[in-house]
Each structure stands twice: as C-alpha cells, then as structure tokens.
Amino acid sequence: MADPKTVKEQKYDRQLRLWGDHGQDALENAHVCLINASATGTEILKNLVLPGNPGIGAFTIIDGHKVSGEDVGNNFFLSNNNIGKNRAQAATELLQELNSDVSGNFVEESPDKLLDNDPEFFHRFSLVIGVQLPESTCLRLGAVLWSVGVPFLVCRAYGLIGYMRLVVKEHTVIESHPDNALEDLRLDQPFPELKNHIDSYDLDSMEKKDHSHTPWIIIVAKYLAKWHSEHNYQLPKNYKEKEAFRELIRQGILRNENGALEDEENFDEAIKNVNTALNPTKISSTVEDVFNGEQCENITSQTPAFWVMARAVREFVRNEGRGNLPVRGTIPDMIADSEKFIKLQNVYREKAMQDASVVSKHVEALLQSVGKPPESISEQDIKLFCKNAAFLRVVRCRSLAEEYSVESFNKDEITSCMDSPDSEMVLYLMLRSVDRFYQQHSRYPGVYNYQVEEDISKLKLCVNSLLQEYGLTVNVKDDYIHEFCRYGAAEPHTVAAFLGGSAAQEAIKIITHQFVPFNNAFIYNAMSQTSTTFQL
Amino acid sequence: MAELAEPMVVDGGSGDRGTWQGRWDHVKKFLERAGPFTHPDFEPSTEALSGFRHIHVVDMDVIDVSNLNRQFLFRPKDVGRPKADVAADFVNSRVPGCHVVPHFKKIQDLDETFYRQFHIVVCGLDSVIARRWMNGMLLSLLIYEDGILDPSSIIPLIDGGTEGFKGNARVILPGMTACIDCTLELYPPQINFPMCTIASMPRLPEHCVEYVRMLLWPKEKPFGDGVALDGDDPEHIQWVYQKSLERASEFNITGVTYRLTQGVVKRIIPAVASTNAVIAAACATEVFKIASSAYLPLNNYLVFNDVDGLYTYTFEAERKENCPACSQIPQDLHFSPSAKLQEVLDYLKESASLQMKSPAITTTLDGKNKTLYLQTVASIEERTRPNLSKTLKELGLSDGQELAVADVTTPQTVLFKLNLTSQGS
C-alpha cells in the first residue's frame, strides 16, 4: 500500500505546483459557507470541493428551498428524484460524492431565519459565499460579516449576466506571484559582496571560453563601471544613452583573427537585458503604502504577523537597507558555465539570507516589545516575506453599506463609466433595478411570458427611481430594460459555470492569501463575452 | 495527451426525452423571446426544447490519479479506464435523455466521414499540433463551388485552452474567420534548453533532469533495452531523480526534488479546476449561441487571466491572407538552386507561420511520385537521408515545381510551389 502522503501528493500534484504546501495547509483548515445551492452555488462549490483535502477542509450549505423541477433543469448537482426534498441536503450529497476527504454539512434554513435567530452562526466560517440573494438578505448578512471580519463573496447569475462582489475589510497578500516581475539585480547600487565579485573578473584578460561563458550580469556591471567613469556616475537614462551603452557592450565582443565578430551569446543576452537591468532599484508605491499603513505603525500584541513583518522590513529599509528592501536572492538563468553561474547566484543568495536575518532581529525586537515570544513568527515565514517584499499587496474593499448608502456610494465611478452607455456599468444598474422591482412586487420581472410586456414599463419606473434616489443623471438605454425583462431571472447553466470557476478562484485566493483577489465588483456579459471590474 | 472533441447535434426530439415539469425553464426564455440584442435572423420558437442530446466524445487517454482533482466526471474507482467511456457513462446517467457516445481514440484515428456528421466541434485539446490537425480536418470538409464557399459545409470549431490561471476560448468558422494556423504566432514557444547547457554546463536543477532524461537514460537503459522513459511510472521517475541529484551535486546545484523531476520529465503544466471551468463555460455558451442562432457568437477570441483580480480581453483575430491552412493560396518557397534540401526542411520546421514537426516532402519527377525525405518511417528515412545534403538542382527540381508536404500538424498535404531564385532567401 503506497505511503498515504505520496498518494495525497499524487492526487493534488498539479495544485501543489501552483500554491505550494503553504497554500494547501490554509485550504485544509478552511470552512466555507455557501448560501443557496442553485446552479451557480453548486458550480462554485464543485470547484472548491474537487481540489479536496488538502483543499477546503469543510463546507456548509445553507438553503431553505425545496428542490423544484426548474432547479434540476440547470443544476448538475441535483437529479429529478430530489424534487420536493430540501435543496441543501440534496446538493450536499452530490457534492460530497466528489471528494470523500472534504467534510460536507447542510442547514435547512433560510439565511434570513438564521440572521433572525442566530447571526453568530456565521462567525465560524473562513468565507461566506452568498448566491442569488435578495438585496435585503445580502445587506443584512453583509453587516454581520463585516462586523466580525469574515470575508463575504456575493455572486449571482441573472440571465446572461454574471456578477460578483467581494467584501473584505483588509486582505493581505505576501505571495502575489506577479506575472512579469522585474529582477532584483542591484546593478545600479551593487552591495559590497556583489561589487567584490564583479571586481574579481577581468574580461580583457580572459580566454575565449571563459569570456563567452561569463554571465551577462557581470558583463553589464563591468561596462556600467566604464560608463560611470565617463558619465559622471550617472546611469544611462534615455533611449539614446541606453543605445550608446549597448554599443559599448557590443565593442567588447571578441573578434577572430579576420576581425569578424565571434559568436558570444552571453554578450547578446547582456545587450538584450540592458533595458531592464538598468532600472533603478526602488520601492514601488504599493509597497510604500504598506509601510505607511496604520497597522504597520501601531504594533500591538493583536497585530497579525503580516504587519509585524512589514514593520520589521520597514525598519530594515530605513536602517541597514539604506532605503532598499532585503535582496530577493534570485537571478534568472543565463548563458554561463556552471561554476560562474552558481558562484554569482550564491552571492545574491547569501546576501538575501543575511538581509533576512537582520529583518529577523527586527521581528524579534518587535515581538518582544509587545510581550510575544520570538517563535510566534517562524524563520521560514520571515524568509518568505523578505523574498516577496517587492510584491506585497493589501486589498481593502468597501462595505456593502458604503456601496448602497446615498451618502457614500461611488458616484464618480458610476458616472464616468456610463459615459459609454454600453459599458458593463449599465448591467450593474440593471441588477440594482431588478432588486428594486423585487422589493416592490415580490417577484422578478418577466418570469412568465405574459408578464414581459407589462414589466418593461414597471422596471423602467424602478430604474428611474433608483437613478433619482442617487442623483445619477446617466442614460440607461431602453434596450437593457427590455433585455432584463426578457431574462425572466433565469440562471442558465453556462453563466452559472463561468461564475463557478471565477468565484471559486477568488475564494481560494482569499483562503490561501496567495495571488491577488479582485476589488471589488466584477460583471461578466455572456452575450459579448466581456467583463469589467469596478470599485464600488 | 488529453483530448476532448465534442461534436454534437441539436435534436428535434424522438423517444424518451426524460423531461419533467420546469426542466427547461432556465433556458427556454432565451429561445422563446426575441430581444434587442438577439441575432437579427433569430426567430423565437415556442416548441418544446430537448437540449443537446447527441454528443460524441473523442479522447485517447485513460484516467490517472492526478486527473481527479479537477476532472469532476471521474472518481477514484475509474482510474485506468478510458476518459471518454467514463465521461459518457456519467453524463448519460446524470442527464436524462442525453446520449453521449464515447470514442477511446486519437482524433487522428477518425476520418472525414466521422467528422462530417456534426453541427459543431468543440475542442479541449492540450497540444497545438492536435488543434492544427482538427483545424485542418474541418477545413478539408469545406466545399467550394466556382470559388464560392458553400456555407452549409462549414462546421464551426470552438476551441478552449488553459494553463494555470490563464485561458482562452475562440470561435472559428472555417473558411470565414481566422483559423488556428492564422494565429500560430500567438502560441508561446515551448521552452527547450540548448544541448550544450544540458551536456556540459548545467546551472538549474531542470538542466540536470534533462541531462538524465535525454542523455543518461538512452545510454544506461536502466530498465532494459528499448524501454522508453515513462513519466507515469514512479520507478522510472525515482531513477531519474536519483541520477539528477548526482548530476546536480557534481555542479553544486541545489533544488532537485522528486516533484521537480516529474514536472520536467512529463512537461507538466500546472492545472486548476477553476480556470478550466471558466473556459469550458465560455465555450459552452458559444455552442449554445451557435446552435440556437439566438445571439451573434463570440467574434472571435477571448483571453482570460485571474492571477491579479480577473481580466478578460476579447478581440477579433484576423485571417492571414496567405495562411498555409485556410487561404487556399499555394504556399511559395524561395530557394536558390544550390540550396540543399536540408535548408528546405529546416525552413518548414522553423518558420513561424509553418512550424511543422517532421515534414515529409514528396514531388513528381518524370511523371513519377518521388519521396524526397521522410522522417517517420525508419527505413525510408535511411534511404532518403542522403537527399538532405544534395542541392535542389542535383535532385532534379525545377522552378515552379510543386512539392507536397505531409506533417502531423495537418490531415491534408500542403502544396508548395518552388521558386528557384538566383539568390537564395
């Protein structure tokens, strides 16, 4: 019988490659709540349950509805022999079947009832996902979750429109895994060990073999020194100067006895990388904002590890780092012989370790100052934090209350988007309008064919009252009002599935604190296959 | 290699539709009601629906344990069974009235008579080669009368692909819109390490693994003569892993792990349930639009990326005027008569617009069919190999000569016209 750990690793192999053991642990301890096992809900949960254990440890479905024939028609996780039974239970069974390692629970109760009788019930969850919720329920639940800091993800599929809203007060990300990160080479201000290493090379006296297998970083550094001495210690700044610098490097390529250029790929690499290698080392404004955050300033015994480490790095930057973050310690692969590459890589690696241990001392001091033991934050975590220091992100979403209040709603965002009347923003306004319709008529517009005609004018009144209440002078085209009546609040499976994938990924980001979640409203238009994110 | 081509038919209905009250409520509104954004030709119908009933699934793979974390139709008990069979069984029992027919085959094992029966083809393939093949197959089914394309011979191709947190979905109307080959340059080149790095100058743990895979394994034949390295065999991977560690320690390289070893050997690309769900949904939406004629289909390429928030970008990929696959324009080759056949071969493989894998070149000389070079059959390869170092003139090729080239990237031979220039290109 194979080692269970290996079997687990085999099953989750493809995921482990993406968010590592760290992320898997966070998932294992997560308990996700889904409200409403509609098609959208089960599609979201399916994507969370499948990755399994490690994967979310547990889920609970809250749903007061009974399974209808309509439900079975668009939901892969309900079958027609479930009709009449409680929807939460039926869906839990079919989802549980996907993965025996995850613990599935259900509550046959409407969220409104729970909010009436036992709002604390929601406090236990790592994340609450509310699907196809009426506006009032959504706002009530939003207020409860906001007060206890439980992240809330609102999702709905309405006709051919998908909508997601993330509500989380403050979400920190250490491992954001940016797509196109610049390297941290410090060529503009080499630290002493790097400078010594560069000095140990003498390009002019090298044999061809060594010359052609010298890492491009060394080459750029050497020619930069030449440039410096002729240009008053300034870096090449504009296109013209960089071009001249590239030419300088080109001059260094060896020639054979006939004067023809030898094939030196490492020099080609050096020339190609001039553009990015000479970027001045500096701290991005995003990271500066992290350092200036209130949480970073006031460290208490309650302060989460992220902020303690951020403060420690800030101390480093302002002291030993002389304005710079800890060295990242990685270099890209490049043409070079093994020995030269490894030596150079080790120079960066060792500096990174050094810097990380200085940061560690700062962490210790901070923890001590608030009476916490130094082991509260592990060396491993500090190293990881330092390695990702340039990519720290903090996401803060406004509450639903702020979005909905006439005093604080984001008028500018709505108005400027509506300058193009076909922007996805009109779909947001329509969703708000159908909610208004529901409040007034206890149903959504156009559910039955005979209603469509009448409801268009009724819905238009809702649109106008919405715009008036918020003082919005934007134009909502009649076409959209007609279209939203036409939808009849249908939840087509393909839209539910698109949201299922999108929402599940955002949920995983929230739980693992890796990769960056959206902020804060996402609209998908299946007619045009387009989408936009707004900050509301 | 995972493949899933889902050709399907929308059925008018006969026999047990497996229907119940309310079954079609979420869908019928889109078919019964016209609206301001529906297709201009759309005619709402109040006939009862039947959904997509006849679906054929083609997949050459069997289920592996590592598939279970994102392929939700498969369970642990299914490991080892063909994916097509298990998928069909699952859907058929979960969706009453649906009839999925499985084909445990490569897409290339089926011919025009098979593909011609379908209204729509949907692909979730994992290689560019396979996509190009399917693309070529549907193009070969097009009927032109007096140079005019007969629209009833068009079978739309909906293609989806993912890699980690990124994905794309596209709609191809063969003969009308950009095809796979029109946008070949959009596909990122595969990363292959140069041989000298692997053989004598490794720097990364990946170089060490490649060294063992490409050089040591064929030399040491650890599991016997002629036994190929099987990425799915843990014993094979364990051997490669140990040897890679040895190689790495020779050069002071750290970072070789079992997982990394397996990743390199199997060219594993990380996969996520969510991205696949999003792209599959987008493709399914297009199938619905095209089958129902209710909306204009995606025009024609959607890119999705949710590394940082969620980002989509939709654009119209343009047809290439001289696309080797769909333009019907014979491709020109420009070479000097003193160029060697090897140069022609290299061009066919390395040109960004052709990217052939192992092209076989034939032509007609003195009224007879002559194979100039063919790589895929050992005996023919040996016989025609000397031709590679001969010049085009020596081979008897003249200006304007037609060369027929066959390759895995296309089901039909591609015709090239040879232009013998005074200066080679």
Side-chain angles (χ1 to χ4, degrees):
Chain A
M1 170 67 188
D3 166 25
K5 182 165 190 285
T6 321
V7 171
K8 225 158 64 153
E9 277 192 7
Q10 275 178 352
K11 191 172 167 199
Y12 306 110
D13 176 75
R14 296 298 190 278
Q15 261 138 246
L16 285 166
R17 292 168 193 282
L18 279 171
W19 47 75
D21 300 302
H22 227 199
Q24 288 293 146
D25 287 341
L27 286 169
E28 201 165 359
N29 294 314
H31 187 172
V32 175
C33 172
L34 168 70
I35 306 178
N36 284 331
S38 74
T40 305
T42 55
E43 286 299 318
I44 296 172
L45 211 45
K46 163 205 132 215
N47 292 320
L48 290 174
V49 169
L50 252 189
N53 180 12
I56 54 165
F59 67 87
T60 296
I61 300 182
I62 297 173
D63 196 340
H65 296 94
K66 295 253 183 293
V67 178
S68 67
E70 192 182 75
D71 285 331
V72 183
N74 76 343
N75 194 328
F76 201 78
F77 294 94
L78 295 172
S79 63
N80 52 3
N81 54 20
N82 294 140
I83 295 178
K85 299 207 181 119
N86 171 259
R87 199 166 66 172
Q89 179 172 14
T92 299
E93 279 162 18
L94 283 175
L95 282 164
Q96 177 77 88
E97 193 262 319
L98 279 176
N99 196 320
S100 52
D101 293 336
V102 187
S103 151
N105 314 284
F106 62 91
V107 175
E108 294 178 29
E109 190 78 88
S110 80
D112 278 306
K113 273 267 172 56
L114 274 175
L115 284 166
D116 288 336
N117 302 328
D118 183 17
E120 259 133 62
F121 181 78
F122 295 100
H123 295 191
R124 75 194 63 192
F125 299 114
S126 329
L127 168 70
V128 174
I129 302 174
V131 167
Q132 311 295 81
L133 292 175
E135 186 181 283
S136 57
T137 315
C138 203
L139 293 172
R140 280 183 79 193
L141 185 53
V144 168
L145 298 175
W146 184 264
S147 69
V148 287
V150 172
F152 184 29
L153 182 60
V154 181
C155 301
R156 70 197 292 193
Y158 196 98
L160 292 174
I161 308 302
Y163 163 84
M164 292 199 296
R165 170 64 156 97
L166 179 63
V167 193
V168 59
K169 230 181 254 185
E170 182 182 273
H171 177 81
T172 58
V173 183
I174 300 170
E175 294 175 87
S176 58
H177 304 291
D179 256 342
N180 293 308
L182 285 175
E183 302 286 344
D184 183 23
L185 302 176
R186 305 290 166 113
L187 287 172
D188 59 327
Q189 28 179 311
F191 46 91
E193 295 85 345
L194 180 58
K195 186 157 191 319
N196 289 341
H197 186 71
I198 295 167
D199 286 343
S200 74
Y201 278 86
D202 179 7
L203 288 175
D204 296 328
S205 72
M206 282 174 135
E207 298 268 314
K208 177 172 183 315
K209 188 148 195 262
D210 280 327
H211 196 261
S212 307
H213 290 96
T214 296
W216 70 254
I217 290 178
I218 302 289
I219 296 172
V220 170
K222 285 294 196 190
Y223 283 92
L224 194 57
K226 264 206 182 114
W227 176 279
H228 269 168
S229 61
E230 291 160 20
H231 288 82
N232 199 21
Y233 295 95
Q234 295 290 314
L235 285 174
K237 278 193 223 58
N238 50 41
Y239 178 77
K240 196 162 149 215
E241 290 187 350
K242 285 188 179 173
E243 197 40 48
F245 183 68
R246 277 189 276 264
E247 189 50 44
L248 193 64
I249 298 179
R250 228 169 258 129
Q251 297 304 318
I253 301 178
L254 291 178
R255 284 168 191 273
N256 64 19
E257 49 295 347
N258 302 328
L261 285 173
E262 295 278 23
D263 190 10
E264 298 207 281
E265 271 184 81
N266 58 335
F267 272 76
D268 292 340
E269 276 187 340
I271 291 165
K272 207 163 65 151
N273 280 289
V274 160
N275 255 339
T276 47
L278 300 181
N279 282 342
T281 305
K282 68 177 177 144
I283 302 180
S284 74
S285 55
T286 314
V287 176
E288 285 288 5
D289 286 343
V290 172
F291 291 155
N292 296 330
E294 203 256 307
Q295 288 256 50
C296 200
E297 191 59 51
N298 302 317
I299 305 294
T300 70
S301 57
Q302 308 302 319
T303 305
F306 177 92
W307 293 107
V308 176
M309 289 190 284
R311 175 62 177 270
V313 172
R314 191 180 90 176
E315 295 304 317
F316 174 89
V317 169
R318 292 180 184 178
N319 298 291
E320 301 89 348
R322 300 194 208 181
N324 289 323
L325 294 170
V327 165
R328 194 177 313 156
T330 57
I331 58 172
D333 190 26
M334 59 192 74
I335 303 285
D337 65 55
S338 317
E339 202 189 313
K340 292 192 181 62
F341 180 83
I342 303 288
K343 274 211 177 110
L344 179 61
Q345 191 182 54
N346 284 339
V347 168
Y348 283 93
R349 267 190 191 164
E350 273 151 28
K351 182 68 165 116
M353 284 200 297
Q354 241 182 58
D355 286 354
S357 64
V358 175
V359 170
S360 221
K361 295 262 175 310
H362 286 292
V363 171
E364 246 181 71
L366 286 164
L367 288 173
Q368 226 167 39
S369 76
V370 294
K372 292 186 86 167
E375 309 83 62
S376 324
I377 302 180
S378 74
E379 284 297 315
Q380 205 185 29
D381 285 348
I382 297 172
K383 279 203 179 108
L384 188 70
F385 194 92
C386 288
K387 189 165 178 215
N388 286 279
F391 311 128
L392 303 173
R393 297 282 294 271
V394 181
V395 172
R396 293 185 181 93
C397 304
R398 298 207 318 155
S399 69
L400 289 175
E402 287 171 274
E403 176 187 337
Y404 278 69
S405 146
V406 175
E407 275 87 48
S408 57
F409 82 103
N410 197 341
K411 187 170 190 174
D412 287 339
E413 177 92 322
I414 298 176
T415 319
S416 61
C417 289
M418 288 302 289
D419 275 342
S420 349
D422 295 305
S423 124
E424 273 82 13
M425 183 57 83
V426 73
L427 303 170
Y428 168 75
L429 294 173
M430 285 314 307
L431 288 172
R432 292 287 303 266
S433 305
V434 299
D435 281 342
R436 203 157 266 240
F437 188 103
Y438 185 85
Q439 260 166 19
Q440 284 175 26
H441 305 279
S442 299
R443 63 175 177 84
Y444 288 106
V447 174
Y448 297 101
N449 286 346
Y450 71 85
Q451 292 170 327
V452 180
E453 193 73 46
E454 274 180 30
D455 284 353
I456 292 176
S457 40
K458 289 196 182 123
L459 184 55
K460 186 157 185 176
L461 288 175
C462 294
V463 173
N464 291 337
S465 89
L466 176 79
L467 297 179
Q468 200 176 48
E469 186 181 322
Y470 287 89
L472 288 164
T473 51
V474 299
N475 174 34
V476 174
K477 288 189 195 168
D478 282 345
D479 281 347
Y480 291 101
I481 301 177
H482 182 175
E483 187 72 357
F484 269 69
C485 279
R486 177 172 176 262
Y487 289 155
E491 191 187 6
H493 182 263
T494 60
V495 179
F498 189 99
L499 278 182
S502 306
Q505 198 49 47
E506 297 309 302
I508 291 174
K509 289 179 189 176
I510 295 288
I511 294 167
T512 60
H513 284 265
Q514 296 196 31
F515 301 92
V516 184
F518 72 107
N519 184 1
N520 56 31
F522 172 80
I523 303 239
Y524 164 67
N525 181 346
M527 289 188 284
S528 54
Q529 298 275 29
T530 53
S531 75
T532 317
T533 302
F534 305 118
Q535 216 167 43
L536 296 172
Chain B
M1 176 161 109
E3 308 180 356
L4 203 69
E6 289 188 7
M8 41 99 341
V9 170
V10 174
D11 184 30
S14 64
D16 172 35
R17 287 144 159 230
T19 206
W20 55 85
Q21 179 75 21
R23 180 174 188 181
W24 307 113
D25 282 4
H26 286 286
V27 167
K28 68 180 187 184
K29 286 153 203 181
F30 300 95
L31 302 177
E32 289 175 346
R33 308 172 179 182
F37 299 102
T38 50
H39 197 292
D41 299 338
F42 173 59
E43 282 182 24
S45 149
T46 49
E47 262 177 36
L49 282 173
S50 56
F52 294 119
R53 315 180 132 264
H54 295 303
I55 301 177
H56 286 242
V57 172
V58 179
D59 196 318
M60 60 182 261
D61 261 350
V62 297
I63 297 166
D64 176 65
V65 167
S66 69
N67 298 144
L68 299 178
N69 80 313
R70 69 200 175 286
Q71 294 172 23
F72 68 99
L73 299 177
F74 309 144
R75 299 286 177 275
K77 63 172 169 54
D78 301 317
V79 172
R81 282 186 65 201
K83 288 188 178 179
D85 291 350
V86 178
D89 286 346
F90 196 112
V91 175
N92 288 335
S93 58
R94 182 65 68 87
V95 185
C98 192
H99 184 57
V100 179
V101 178
H103 300 270
F104 175 38
K105 288 193 158 84
K106 286 198 181 102
I107 51 170
Q108 295 93 339
D109 292 337
L110 299 155
D111 64 12
E112 321 83 64
T113 42
F114 176 76
Y115 291 107
R116 210 188 295 277
Q117 65 181 301
F118 299 108
H119 289 66
I120 300 179
V121 173
V122 185
C123 291
L125 299 162
D126 68 355
S127 79
V128 177
I129 295 178
R131 283 183 170 85
R132 291 177 72 185
W133 191 91
M134 183 55 75
N135 184 62
M137 167 54 73
L138 296 182
L139 286 168
S140 74
L141 299 177
L142 295 176
I143 298 171
Y144 288 86
E145 274 168 64
D146 296 325
I148 313 252
L149 175 59
D150 172 6
S152 69
S153 66
I154 299 175
I155 300 177
L157 172 61
I158 297 169
D159 177 68
T162 67
E163 195 171 317
F165 297 108
K166 302 181 198 182
N168 60 73
R170 63 191 299 185
V171 173
I172 295 171
L173 301 173
M176 284 181 62
T177 63
C179 79
I180 299 281
D181 282 53
C182 289
T183 57
L184 211 49
E185 288 95 9
L186 283 181
Y187 292 104
Q190 274 212 302
I191 301 179
N192 288 311
F193 304 117
M195 207 22 129
C196 61
T197 301
I198 298 183
S200 48
M201 248 175 262
R203 297 175 295 269
L204 304 177
E206 288 83 352
H207 299 158
C208 301
V209 178
E210 283 289 72
Y211 169 81
V212 176
R213 180 183 78 86
M214 294 171 72
L215 297 174
L216 217 55
W217 179 283
K219 196 167 106 188
E220 295 192 16
K221 307 183 220 253
F223 289 84
D225 237 328
V227 176
L229 170 50
D230 178 1
D232 293 313
D233 186 337
E235 282 187 51
H236 288 201
I237 299 291
Q238 186 62 31
W239 188 88
V240 174
Y241 170 49
Q242 287 303 131
K243 293 290 174 183
S244 303
L245 278 173
E246 285 168 31
R247 175 83 172 158
S249 72
E250 253 185 79
F251 291 88
N252 292 316
I253 296 170
T254 58
V256 175
T257 62
Y258 184 94
R259 195 184 300 166
L260 181 134
T261 303
Q262 193 178 40
V264 173
V265 170
K266 291 181 75 172
R267 263 98 171 95
I268 288 179
I269 295 165
V272 189
S274 324
T275 323
N276 288 313
V278 167
I279 296 301
C283 289
T285 295
E286 292 309 309
V287 173
F288 173 75
K289 286 185 195 169
I290 291 175
S292 66
S293 311
Y295 286 92
L296 285 169
L298 166 65
N299 184 19
N300 56 45
Y301 203 113
L302 164 73
V303 171
F304 173 84
N305 182 341
D306 63 354
V307 166
D308 186 340
L310 302 112
Y311 170 76
T312 64
Y313 174 59
T314 314
F315 68 99
E316 185 179 340
E318 287 179 357
R319 280 188 85 177
K320 225 197 215 170
E321 256 181 63
N322 57 348
C323 174
C326 76
S327 70
Q328 294 206 293
I329 296 172
Q331 301 295 298
D332 274 329
L333 289 175
H334 297 269
F335 286 95
S336 137
S338 60
K340 305 221 168 70
L341 187 64
Q342 180 73 59
E343 285 174 56
V344 176
L345 193 75
D346 289 342
Y347 174 75
L348 292 172
K349 287 160 85 163
E350 285 155 26
S351 134
S353 61
L354 293 173
Q355 293 188 41
M356 294 191 164
K357 297 298 159 196
S358 47
I361 311 172
T362 56
T363 192
T364 309
L365 279 173
D366 303 324
K368 282 189 288 202
N369 202 317
K370 181 177 167 138
T371 304
L372 293 171
Y373 182 69
L374 189 147
Q375 198 176 328
T376 49
V377 178
S379 54
I380 305 181
E381 198 281 325
E382 217 179 303
R383 177 170 63 77
T384 55
R385 202 185 307 151
N387 288 342
L388 290 177
S389 33
K390 292 198 182 138
T391 66
L392 302 181
K393 187 166 170 201
E394 281 172 342
L395 289 167
L397 302 176
S398 45
D399 185 38
Q401 181 116 19
E402 242 182 32
L403 299 178
V405 180
D407 186 52
V408 289
T409 50
T410 166
Q412 287 198 305
T413 28
V414 185
L415 288 176
F416 289 88
K417 199 168 98 174
L418 190 57
N419 290 288
L420 292 179
T421 56
S422 47
Q423 293 155 318
S425 59

